[in-house]
Amino acid sequence: MKDRVVRAVCVAGMVLVASAAWAKDIFVATTGSDTDGEGTVAAPYATLTKAVSVAEKGDVIKVAGGVYEEAVVNAVEGLRIEGSYTTDFTARDLRNVRTVIKAPTASVDCYKTTGLTNVLSGIDFTGGKYGF
């Protein structure tokens, strides 16, 4: 019985490690580029919209401080989207660095999602039809 429990724990651990190995960090900064960017620290994307379009379940999108004027539609489950990073992504400063997603017009939402298991933190949403 003890042998079966140990095997079950080992298999569960391998599954967790394997799924974590496929998750990736995707970086966004106001100085980035959706055309030439790669979503890396050295070549971030310019918009959260672009980052979400290449993201997969389990990925973490790290967004540098600044104002991003866009309407984000996210259909990816299980994303973690974190704002308030410094522009070089060496630190996250929730007190002094603000990441703002601002709707481009009053008639659209600034962020819309069907991904009920997503986690968003360190981001202010403003403007638009409902603001969120």
Side-chain angles (χ1 to χ4, degrees):
M1 177 68 169
K2 185 177 175 184
D3 186 43
R4 276 191 236 157
V5 171
V6 170
R7 272 190 267 156
V9 170
C10 288
V11 170
M14 287 188 301
V15 169
L16 286 174
V17 170
S19 64
W22 287 313
K24 64 185 175 295
D25 289 344
I26 301 169
F27 298 88
V28 177
T30 57
T31 56
S33 170
D34 286 351
T35 306
D36 299 324
E38 299 170 350
T40 62
V41 171
Y45 294 127
T47 64
L48 184 54
T49 299
K50 176 63 177 181
V52 166
S53 75
V54 301
E56 297 175 350
K57 184 177 184 174
D59 288 350
V60 178
I61 298 174
K62 298 182 177 187
V63 188
V67 177
Y68 300 83
E69 191 167 314
E70 59 182 306
V72 181
V73 178
N74 176 13
V76 181
E77 290 280 341
L79 282 184
R80 183 172 186 86
I81 303 173
E82 302 174 340
S84 300
Y85 279 91
T86 56
T87 55
D88 59 2
F89 297 100
T90 58
R92 189 167 186 222
D93 186 349
L94 295 168
R95 285 191 172 188
N96 300 307
V97 178
R98 288 190 64 211
T99 297
V100 179
I101 306 298
K102 180 182 176 188
T105 67
S107 62
V108 299
D109 297 326
C110 58
Y111 184 84
K112 193 185 264 186
T113 185
T114 56
L116 299 178
T117 60
N118 294 326
V119 176
L120 296 101
S121 65
I123 301 175
D124 296 331
F125 296 91
T126 185
K129 192 173 176 183
Y130 301 110
F132 189 77

